[in-house]
Amino acid sequence: MPGPTTTRPGTHQVVTWGASADRQGEGPTDRSYRMVVRTSVGGAHARIRLTNAFGDHPVTFDSVYAGQRKEGAELVRGSNRPLTFGGARSVTVAPGVAVTSDPLSGRLAAQSDLVVSFHVADSAGPTTGHGMAMQTSYATAGDHAAEEGAASWTDRTSSWYYLDAVSVETPAGTGAVVTLGDSITDGWQSSTDKNRRWPDYLSRRLQSASGTGVKGIANEGISGNKVLADGAGQSALNRLQRDVLSQPGVRTVFLFEGINDIKAHTGVTVDDLIAGYREIVDRAHAAGKCVVGATVMPYKGWSEWDAEGEAVRRGVNDFIRDSGEFDAVTDFDKVVRSPYDQERMLPVFDGGDHVHPNDKGMQAMADSVDLAALRCDDAG
């Protein structure tokens, strides 16, 4: 049975997991998906959000379940329970729309693998999902969402489909941070299925830290994403409301984007990027959130690097560090750059392509974040 339809006094809903939606390929009808996601903050009465943001036809989900993972596609026995939407076991989602489930009774643990399984009974045209999950999930023909065993789930996928957020009920003093970024935030070059993206390392720090009410993290990175232009996903400006500001319980926006605008050789200037950053800050502040800005990391050695782009990167970083427009600043550039060539990443942190850090680099980034700054007590 679903839990209460409203939060209890002294509590509110906080995002515990998120992934940015984008347009994916055409999806088959009569398909089940078993999506594996890692929670950040724990809480009661979990809700999931299913999205058809980039579809051009309605999508019907006629069987939706949530359970605890044992291993692979297998669930802990007795943990897989049905979810409802407005009391109904089936929901049809119009193009461009997202729906949030009724709350599920019981508690969802922090730093645990939640498995959301659903059957798509009626689908046509493009699907909505997150292409580069760095996490193995599963799919199969027919409706197997209620099954706890792994036998039917023969197809593996490295993407998340339709599911773009999970939230839990927490004390009102608990909040979340959303990391808005590109492939570095998305986790490329970190170890698949190990939760070693830099927001994952940061999440583990937050769970064990005392003195901060910021416990939730939603990773809203998209590989190839830009601040100013659509392409690999909608631009940070165009997806800010859906991927960031619409998430429940968010206190802080952690903005770490710009490298793809710079290295694309489209003529983007320092002033162009500053204008984009300022718009994000202004919109976040208007929504009652604060913004932590992170400097753009070095990329010399990548095929698109040139002196002109490097000059833009340095100019942008000067603005991020010194303008005072952000509520706080994290200097990722300083953390990962080589002391011998500040245009390059330190080799021990380099995932191999001179843009994306390896697991050690991801951890060093997360360790450099001032947890107190994420509280943003004096946000505008």
Side-chain angles (χ1 to χ4, degrees):
M1 294 293 292
T5 56
T6 58
T7 55
R8 295 168 296 174
T11 67
H12 69 160
Q13 208 75 13
V14 172
V15 64
T16 187
W17 174 86
S20 303
D22 195 9
R23 183 187 178 102
Q24 306 297 320
E26 186 165 337
T29 295
D30 190 26
R31 187 77 166 163
S32 290
Y33 298 87
R34 176 153 282 182
M35 305 283 92
V36 179
V37 304
R38 187 73 169 176
T39 66
S40 54
V41 63
H45 306 308
R47 299 171 183 252
I48 70 162
R49 190 169 78 178
L50 297 173
T51 178
N52 191 22
F54 292 90
D56 55 19
H57 291 77
V59 177
T60 298
F61 304 90
D62 64 350
S63 180
V64 186
Y65 283 74
Q68 179 184 350
R69 185 162 80 140
K70 182 176 180 180
E71 60 179 356
E74 183 181 2
L75 307 186
V76 173
R77 187 178 297 274
S79 71
N80 201 32
R81 294 185 292 157
L83 286 160
T84 59
F85 298 80
R89 294 280 291 270
S90 177
V91 62
T92 298
V93 186
V97 173
V99 296
T100 299
S101 72
D102 300 327
L104 192 67
S105 61
R107 293 193 60 83
L108 181 61
Q111 301 296 304
S112 64
D113 285 345
L114 175 70
V115 179
V116 178
S117 306
F118 49 85
H119 178 241
V120 178
D122 184 17
S123 174
T127 59
T128 296
H130 185 88
M132 194 180 79
M134 306 303 296
Q135 170 68 55
T136 301
S137 289
Y138 304 89
T140 189
D143 186 356
H144 299 274
E147 297 174 9
E148 294 180 328
S152 299
W153 298 92
T154 54
D155 298 339
R156 292 173 173 244
T157 177
S158 58
S159 300
W160 288 305
Y161 293 99
Y162 297 111
L163 178 70
D164 80 332
V166 179
S167 63
V168 293
E169 184 182 306
T170 72
T174 300
V177 56
V178 176
T179 57
L180 177 59
D182 48 44
S183 55
I184 301 174
T185 297
D186 213 4
W188 183 241
Q189 297 290 5
S190 67
S191 296
T192 300
D193 292 333
K194 297 294 186 181
N195 297 305
R196 293 179 179 173
R197 313 162 191 87
W198 73 261
D200 297 323
Y201 283 109
L202 180 59
S203 177
R204 290 189 280 273
R205 286 188 65 204
L206 287 169
Q207 299 318 303
S208 62
S210 59
T212 178
V214 178
K215 298 293 184 181
I217 284 192
N219 184 338
E220 302 294 336
I222 297 181
S223 180
N225 199 230
K226 298 176 182 177
V227 174
L228 303 174
D230 293 347
Q234 291 181 322
S235 69
L237 288 168
N238 286 339
R239 65 190 183 93
L240 181 66
Q241 179 60 40
R242 180 187 64 247
D243 289 351
V244 180
L245 302 181
S246 71
Q247 303 287 4
V250 173
R251 290 189 189 176
T252 306
V253 181
F254 194 109
L255 175 60
F256 175 44
E257 287 225 41
I259 185 65
N260 290 313
D261 299 77
I262 293 168
K263 68 182 181 62
H265 302 301
T266 58
V268 168
T269 66
V270 174
D271 287 343
D272 292 335
L273 273 169
I274 287 174
Y277 293 144
R278 280 178 167 152
E279 181 178 336
I280 290 171
V281 171
D282 288 347
R283 288 169 59 190
H285 281 171
K289 322 299 181 188
C290 69
V291 186
V292 176
T295 51
V296 180
M297 300 195 317
Y299 68 108
K300 190 175 184 180
W302 178 265
S303 61
E304 294 170 296
W305 185 92
D306 60 18
E308 183 179 357
E310 177 64 18
V312 174
R313 185 183 75 88
R314 291 188 177 225
V316 163
N317 283 349
D318 287 344
F319 167 80
I320 293 170
R321 291 186 184 106
D322 303 329
S323 68
E325 303 242 0
F326 295 94
D327 299 288
V329 172
T330 296
D331 200 343
F332 282 160
D333 171 47
K334 184 177 180 181
V335 170
V336 305
R337 72 191 182 201
S338 169
Y340 308 107
D341 183 351
Q342 296 190 3
E343 297 172 350
R344 290 183 180 270
M345 191 183 303
L346 194 67
V348 72
F349 293 151
D350 194 337
D353 62 11
H354 314 300
V355 172
H356 302 93
N358 56 23
D359 292 351
K360 289 183 179 178
M362 294 284 184
Q363 184 167 11
M365 292 168 65
D367 287 349
S368 73
V369 176
D370 179 1
L371 300 188
L374 297 180
R375 293 199 310 260
C376 291
D377 297 323
D378 299 321

